[in-house]
Amino acid sequence: VPKKMRWQMGEQVRGLDSQAESRQQLLQDVADFLRRKAEVEQEYSRGLEKLSERFSAKIRGSKEHQNFRKDQNLPSPLNCWYTILNQTRQASRDHGALSEIYTGHLALRLVHISEDVGRLARKSKEMEQQMQDELLKAISELQMAMKSYQTYRIDCLNAEAKLREAERQEEKRGGGRHSDPGGSPGGAGLDKAPRRTSLKKVERLLEKRQSKFMESKLKCAKARNDYLLSLHAANAAISNYYVRDVADLLDCFDLGFHLSLGKVLRTYLAAESRAQAAWQQGLCTIEGAIDALDPLGDKSRLMEANPAAYCPPLCFDYQPHEGDEVSEVRAEGPLRNELVSRFQHLQSRLNAITLETDEVNKTLKATLQSLVDLLAAEEPEALDAFQGCQSTESLKSTGSDAGGKQALAKRRANQQETESFYIMKFKEYLSGRSIQTKLQAKHDQMKEAIEKGENVGSRLPVWALPQSQRVRRSRPPSCCHHKLFGGDLQAFLESSGQAVPLVVESCIRFINLHGLQHEGIFRVPGSQAQVSEIRNAFEKGEDPLGDGYMHHDLDSVAGVLKLYFRGLEKPLFPSDIVPELLATAQLESSAERISHLRALLSQLPPAVLVVLRYLFAFLNHLSHYSDENMMDPHNLAVCFGPTLVTVPAGQDAVSVQPHINEVVKCLIVHHEAIFPGTSQLPGPQYEKVMALAEEEYWYEGAMGRGWLLVLCLLALPECDSQSETVPRSVSAVQHEERFTPQRVGPVGWRRGERGNNRGLVPPIVLPDREWQLARVKRNC
């Protein structure tokens, strides 16, 4: 996080504190002023002049007065205070009614206002710090996305270097085959078999590295997309915070202060008017100053006076890594279907959060109006001291009327209740608007990328292959004799040789590829029939989630994952360490919690700890998409707390479960600091960016199939234009169930046989330039 931004955030918090202190001091001065004035009422002119001079001198020496004195653009509350002091210099007499009013009602109201200012300042500061924490979290997620992108970019470059090295080796060996054209027939016959074997090895090596390079390139593209989306979301969050949130927080801090102070001063004005009609002209000046109380104007003056603290910083720039020239979100090829699906989920979530935020905003405005009405309501009992006889005894009895105090207490209670509701809705509105801003930034980037992808796809000379059904491939029968669901995890891992159970790895991979943005993942129950079907397939040793996205819904897959952990014979967290886990929730410091959990987890078997590390790394990654899937660490902990940890016997589940959920939340948020790394605990680690296998992309949609057809065409060996049939590609040799491409001419292709399906695909017209480009790429 830039130092300037941190400095700005600190200045904003200190600015709120300074404003609160200034207002508290202002209210204290007013209260002191009224008390002193009540004491010196009988001294008339001399006493009032001294009093006015005392507070005028005090204000002239204040820092706030020095800041605004140059341009005479004083804040409206301070301007009112100046007007009152000037009028006080001319005051020469007063009445006993004024003494009671000053020391009674107005003093109590000033105490209430002071309490309101302190409470609102504290709550506004808490909200400002929370919004700053969310902003820092968005920046932290941006940094994490950038690191992931850099890592996968390096992997892509390494894979490409290895591929080029393999191609050079093949070219050298290809050149060696023609280096001895005059050799003896006998010698050629002896070296023929080893040379073929060597050539096959080189071809297999080249094919393997080609596949690794394509996978690394795809992962790099996905990581880059996540980085760019996080980049735009972070910039949008920063702009939203500095442009709107800061101003709204200042409005929240100002809530009711000007109205309350104005009401006190109006009461003061009414008392002075009744006591001394001769000073009506001077009091009209005070009334004009009170009418000029301007919350918006004061807010503008405050922000203009401190531009260094409230000026939005510069936006983050995209930082390409290791020569990467792509600087925008891409939606071509196999990335398109995933991005379109994510765009649809995000659009639905954006519409919902927009509607929800609008409704909250309407409620907020109505509540604000109610609060304003309460603050601006007249208080007739404030001037009851002037009713009836003006004797001292009568004034005392009138001022001590219990009915007026009860009415004031009732209005006070209503005001605090309405204020609390307003603060709650205001906090909800700020949070919703922040999420809406980030989602809108991602939505715009995705929409632009998809539109560009459509334009690129419409220019591709590719005929989309028909949708074909995949055949589920079962795994070899397991030789282990331990149950998968409802069994002992450690015994199963030792028997099967799997570091992470297939059901866990496959379900997490499926959700990573298709459901990171799925709203309510792990919270919405799936189909019981599909859950049973998937479970039975895993029990048979098959991987039912390898046959594509359309066959299973995400909620059912998530339900299978929770069902597996919930049904283990021995819970992941044994019952003997559960009391220590509950004690962790009582610790205040995050560092203490992390240290305590790290020590507790070290008692678990390494095999179980590997599975836990894999699971919580996935849950942490899933929580990064909480703006879209609404599953933040707290919601995920609520879903997985009862699944992973069993409430000890004899304890109340209702009271214990929140502590368990808090521990699970801590494991999700701080999983990197709690779980040991691969150097300390060898084993598989969860990958944030996963890619479909090559055969899975073949069935991922029309655009994806078109891209693979182009790659298949480019991979075919060069042949004579008059030839009728060309050999099958390497992919066709490896996968018998695929199409066998056949050459009909220089401009078209037809489909071969696949199972019992036969048919022709209309010819693909390739312009001369594209055909030559395809031949050049194929030869390279």
Side-chain angles (χ1 to χ4, degrees):
V1 181
K3 293 183 179 179
K4 181 179 179 181
M5 188 180 300
R6 287 189 179 276
W7 176 83
Q8 285 183 323
M9 292 180 179
E11 285 295 313
Q12 292 168 7
V13 174
R14 288 189 290 273
L16 283 180
D17 292 337
S18 176
Q19 282 291 103
E21 293 175 1
S22 175
R23 290 182 179 180
Q24 292 281 7
Q25 185 63 47
L26 174 63
L27 294 172
Q28 182 62 35
D29 288 344
V30 175
D32 191 18
F33 165 77
L34 295 176
R35 179 181 59 83
R36 290 285 298 153
K37 185 176 180 182
E39 295 175 356
V40 299
E41 283 294 333
Q42 302 302 321
E43 298 180 4
Y44 295 104
S45 301
R46 185 179 60 181
L48 293 177
E49 183 65 25
K50 292 181 179 180
L51 183 64
S52 176
E53 183 61 27
R54 171 188 174 186
F55 286 97
S56 298
K58 185 175 182 180
I59 292 177
R60 284 194 295 270
S62 66
K63 181 178 179 181
E64 186 175 9
H65 174 81
Q66 299 297 332
N67 292 337
F68 291 101
R69 186 178 180 181
K70 298 179 180 179
D71 53 1
Q72 296 297 319
N73 193 16
L74 297 174
S76 55
L78 193 59
N79 184 53
C80 288
W81 179 228
Y82 279 3
T83 305
I84 293 173
L85 289 178
N86 292 333
Q87 174 63 19
T88 305
R89 292 191 182 96
Q90 305 175 21
S92 61
R93 64 188 185 90
D94 205 354
H95 303 282
L98 289 178
S99 177
E100 182 176 349
I101 291 174
Y102 294 160
T103 58
H105 179 80
L106 292 185
L108 181 61
R109 288 297 301 149
L110 288 173
V111 171
H112 291 168
I113 295 173
S114 180
E115 293 175 356
D116 296 342
V117 169
R119 183 176 61 256
L120 287 174
R122 183 177 66 257
K123 293 182 178 180
S124 299
K125 182 179 178 180
E126 291 174 357
M127 285 190 293
E128 185 170 41
Q129 290 176 340
Q130 179 180 354
M131 298 306 298
Q132 290 178 359
D133 291 340
E134 291 180 2
L135 184 61
L136 295 176
K137 178 182 176 183
I139 297 173
S140 177
E141 291 176 359
L142 170 63
Q143 293 173 342
M144 294 176 63
M146 182 177 68
K147 290 180 181 178
S148 298
Y149 154 66
Q150 293 172 352
T151 300
Y152 285 104
R153 177 59 181 169
I154 292 174
D155 292 342
C156 179
L157 294 176
N158 292 338
E160 183 179 12
K162 291 181 179 180
L163 175 62
R164 300 295 175 251
E165 179 64 23
E167 290 175 349
R168 287 193 294 271
Q169 291 180 6
E170 185 183 26
E171 291 175 359
K172 290 180 181 180
R173 293 182 180 274
R177 284 182 292 178
H178 304 287
S179 62
D180 189 15
S184 63
L190 293 175
D191 297 336
K192 184 175 183 180
R195 184 175 300 166
R196 289 180 178 177
T197 303
S198 177
L199 290 175
K200 289 181 179 179
K201 290 182 178 179
V202 172
E203 291 176 354
R204 287 195 296 270
L205 177 61
L206 182 61
E207 179 185 356
K208 179 180 179 181
R209 293 189 175 179
Q210 175 70 25
S211 176
K212 182 65 176 179
F213 169 66
M214 296 302 294
E215 180 181 358
S216 300
K217 184 177 181 181
L218 181 58
K219 289 183 178 181
C220 178
K222 294 180 71 175
R224 185 195 310 114
N225 283 352
D226 282 343
Y227 171 38
L228 288 169
L229 292 174
S230 299
L231 176 69
H232 290 286
N235 288 332
I238 292 173
S239 177
N240 174 69
Y241 172 79
Y242 278 91
V243 175
R244 295 188 290 185
D245 288 352
V246 170
D248 289 345
L249 284 168
L250 291 175
D251 288 338
C252 180
F253 172 72
D254 287 337
L255 182 62
F257 173 75
H258 295 77
L259 285 173
S260 300
L261 182 62
K263 185 168 59 176
V264 171
L265 297 178
R266 286 183 184 278
T267 303
Y268 167 82
L269 173 63
E272 288 286 346
S273 298
R274 293 191 181 187
Q276 266 184 342
W279 294 95
Q280 189 61 42
Q281 184 177 0
L283 298 180
C284 289
T285 306
I286 299 177
E287 184 177 12
I290 296 173
D291 292 336
L293 284 170
D294 182 16
L296 297 179
D298 290 343
K299 180 181 68 176
S300 300
R301 294 185 189 98
L302 176 63
M303 298 181 71
E304 291 173 359
N306 300 275
Y310 297 105
C311 178
L314 298 176
C315 293
F316 290 103
D317 294 327
Y318 173 63
Q319 300 178 7
H321 187 61
E322 294 292 338
D324 187 5
E325 298 181 355
V326 181
S327 60
E328 59 185 8
V329 179
R330 290 292 182 87
E332 296 95 354
L335 291 175
R336 173 175 172 75
N337 290 333
E338 176 190 349
L339 207 60
V340 169
S341 176
R342 181 174 180 182
F343 175 77
Q344 293 172 349
H345 284 292
L346 187 142
Q347 194 170 33
S348 176
R349 169 68 175 141
L350 181 60
N351 293 336
I353 195 64
T354 301
L355 180 61
E356 180 181 348
T357 305
D358 291 342
E359 292 297 326
V360 172
N361 189 28
K362 293 178 182 178
T363 305
L364 189 67
K365 291 179 179 179
T367 307
L368 177 61
Q369 185 59 45
S370 300
L371 186 58
V372 168
D373 293 340
L374 286 173
L375 293 171
E378 295 292 338
E379 297 179 354
E381 68 275 5
L383 302 178
D384 287 346
F386 285 99
Q387 297 178 0
C389 180
Q390 298 298 315
S391 64
T392 305
E393 292 77 12
S394 177
L395 290 175
K396 289 183 179 179
S397 62
T398 305
S400 60
D401 185 16
K405 292 183 179 180
Q406 292 178 356
L408 178 62
K410 184 177 179 179
R411 284 195 298 270
R412 174 74 172 168
N414 292 338
Q415 174 191 335
Q416 292 182 353
E417 182 180 358
T418 307
E419 176 191 296
S420 298
F421 183 75
Y422 175 83
I423 292 295
M424 180 185 68
K425 286 298 178 181
F426 183 68
K427 181 179 179 181
E428 184 179 349
Y429 173 71
L430 289 180
S431 178
R433 189 172 65 180
S434 176
I435 295 175
Q436 179 184 356
T437 302
K438 292 184 283 187
L439 291 181
Q440 186 65 49
K442 293 182 179 181
H443 174 275
D444 296 341
Q445 289 296 313
M446 288 185 183
K447 182 178 180 181
E448 181 180 355
I450 291 172
E451 291 176 352
K452 290 182 180 179
E454 289 178 351
N455 296 334
V456 173
S458 63
R459 297 195 296 268
L460 288 176
V462 177
W463 187 268
L465 296 178
Q467 181 73 26
S468 54
Q469 300 296 326
R470 298 187 58 193
V471 178
R472 179 180 294 177
R473 300 187 300 275
S474 61
R475 295 170 59 88
S478 176
C479 60
C480 64
H481 303 285
H482 294 276
K483 292 173 60 178
L484 179 61
F485 285 83
D488 188 324
L489 173 62
Q490 186 176 2
F492 176 82
L493 295 177
E494 293 175 354
S495 175
S496 64
Q498 301 175 7
V500 176
L502 174 64
V503 60
V504 177
E505 185 177 1
S506 184
C507 288
I508 287 179
R509 180 176 182 271
F510 188 89
I511 296 173
N512 177 284
L513 292 173
H514 307 293
L516 291 177
Q517 299 84 27
H518 183 67
E519 185 173 335
I521 188 74
F522 290 115
R523 185 183 62 195
V524 179
S527 168
Q528 187 61 37
Q530 284 203 25
V531 170
S532 300
E533 177 186 353
I534 298 173
R535 170 181 174 171
N536 294 335
F538 276 118
E539 289 282 14
K540 296 176 183 179
E542 300 176 354
D543 184 0
L545 303 181
D547 57 354
Y549 176 76
M550 300 303 295
H551 291 73
H552 304 289
D553 73 277
L554 286 160
D555 294 323
S556 298
V557 175
V560 171
L561 184 62
K562 290 201 299 182
L563 176 65
Y564 171 74
F565 286 115
R566 183 168 60 249
L568 289 176
E569 180 180 347
K570 297 180 180 179
L572 290 178
F573 295 94
S575 57
D576 56 341
I577 70 170
V578 171
E580 292 294 331
L581 285 177
L582 296 177
T584 305
Q586 306 299 328
L587 300 176
E588 297 293 337
S589 172
S590 298
E592 293 179 356
R593 291 186 178 185
I594 292 172
S595 177
H596 190 68
L597 288 174
R598 189 188 300 116
L600 284 178
L601 295 182
S602 64
Q603 304 174 20
L604 299 179
V608 176
L609 195 55
V610 168
V611 177
L612 279 173
R613 180 178 66 186
Y614 194 89
L615 172 65
F616 280 100
F618 160 69
L619 294 179
N620 176 270
H621 184 215
L622 183 64
S623 68
H624 293 169
Y625 296 85
S626 60
D627 290 346
E628 302 174 47
N629 58 34
M630 301 179 66
M631 297 302 291
D632 56 15
H634 172 75
N635 292 337
L636 289 173
V638 171
C639 294
F640 275 89
T643 300
L644 301 178
V645 183
T646 304
V647 177
Q651 297 193 22
D652 183 19
V654 176
S655 59
V656 173
Q657 193 60 53
H659 298 294
I660 294 177
N661 296 343
E662 186 66 25
V663 174
V664 175
K665 176 183 174 182
C666 183
L667 289 170
I668 294 174
V669 174
H670 305 289
H671 81 98
E672 289 186 353
I674 294 174
F675 290 96
T678 53
S679 60
Q680 301 173 347
L681 181 66
Q685 281 195 319
Y686 169 75
E687 287 190 74
K688 292 184 179 180
V689 180
M690 296 185 181
L692 290 169
E694 180 185 358
E695 58 268 20
E696 291 179 85
Y697 277 119
W698 183 271
Y699 308 96
E700 251 331 281
M703 182 60 73
R705 293 192 301 272
W707 275 104
L708 286 173
L709 180 57
V710 171
L711 296 177
C712 182
L713 295 177
L714 296 179
L716 291 174
E718 184 178 7
C719 62
D720 186 79
S721 61
Q722 302 301 324
S723 173
E724 179 65 22
T725 305
V726 297
R728 288 178 298 172
S729 66
V730 177
S731 298
V733 173
Q734 291 181 341
H735 305 283
E736 292 295 337
E737 73 275 10
R738 293 194 177 180
F739 296 105
T740 304
Q742 295 180 339
R743 177 92 177 265
V744 178
V747 296
W749 295 83
R750 70 184 181 195
R751 191 182 68 181
E753 297 184 1
R754 181 182 184 270
N756 296 325
N757 299 325
R758 292 177 174 84
L760 294 178
V761 176
I764 305 168
V765 180
L766 297 176
D768 294 340
R769 184 176 181 182
E770 294 186 4
W771 178 253
Q772 294 173 4
L773 178 60
R775 292 170 64 93
V776 171
K777 290 184 177 180
R778 184 170 64 245
N779 293 336
C780 293

